[in-house]
Amino acid sequence: MTDGAAGGSWVTVAAAGAVAPGEVVEATLEGADVVVWRTESGVPCVMEARCPHQWSHLGGSGAVAGEEIVCLTHFWTFATDGSGWKENLDGRRDRKGDIEVYPCREVAGEIRVRRGAFGGNP
């Protein structure tokens, strides 16, 4: 489903009820693999499915930890703004590669992404 309200065209990537807080769901949008996930506080996020470190798919190798998603392959973490981090054994967090995050919103029981973010029609 798409809608043209407020800020262009939006396309549905998942039913809101299909993504509970702390869950990660795989989706495809306009030929791109994405993951739809919610922070433990319930904030939805849609991002590129592949970790920029070694291309692990976050649909199978990702887990939510608080307000971030963690790639379980090498424990890189990503915030809902796409910023990438790695926590060292001593607890220090170092900046790592970022991941693409797409503008999303929850409307009428659906999680939607703004078209154009995927190279589709604006």
Side-chain angles (χ1 to χ4, degrees):
M1 168 172 191
T2 62
D3 79 64
S9 178
W10 293 78
V11 62
T12 300
V13 293
V19 188
E23 286 190 339
V24 180
V25 174
E26 296 179 33
T28 303
L29 182 60
E30 298 180 359
D33 283 345
V34 297
V35 289
V36 182
W37 60 282
R38 286 188 192 270
T39 65
E40 288 182 2
S41 68
V43 176
C45 184
V46 179
M47 67 175 39
E48 181 178 0
R50 299 280 179 181
C51 176
H53 178 229
Q54 289 190 343
W55 217 236
S56 297
H57 197 290
L58 295 173
S61 298
V64 176
E67 301 303 292
E68 298 177 316
I69 189 170
V70 179
C71 178
L72 298 176
T73 305
H74 295 106
F75 301 102
W76 282 30
T77 62
F78 302 96
T80 57
D81 68 359
S83 58
W85 302 87
K86 169 88 183 218
E87 188 168 324
N88 292 328
L89 293 175
D90 64 3
R92 185 184 76 218
R93 286 173 56 97
D94 294 323
R95 284 286 283 134
K96 295 293 182 181
D98 295 341
I99 195 165
E100 186 82 25
V101 173
Y102 304 102
C104 73
R105 66 183 185 184
E106 190 171 340
V107 176
E110 300 174 331
I111 297 174
R112 300 177 185 175
V113 173
R114 187 173 38 129
R115 292 189 78 143
F118 287 88
N121 298 325

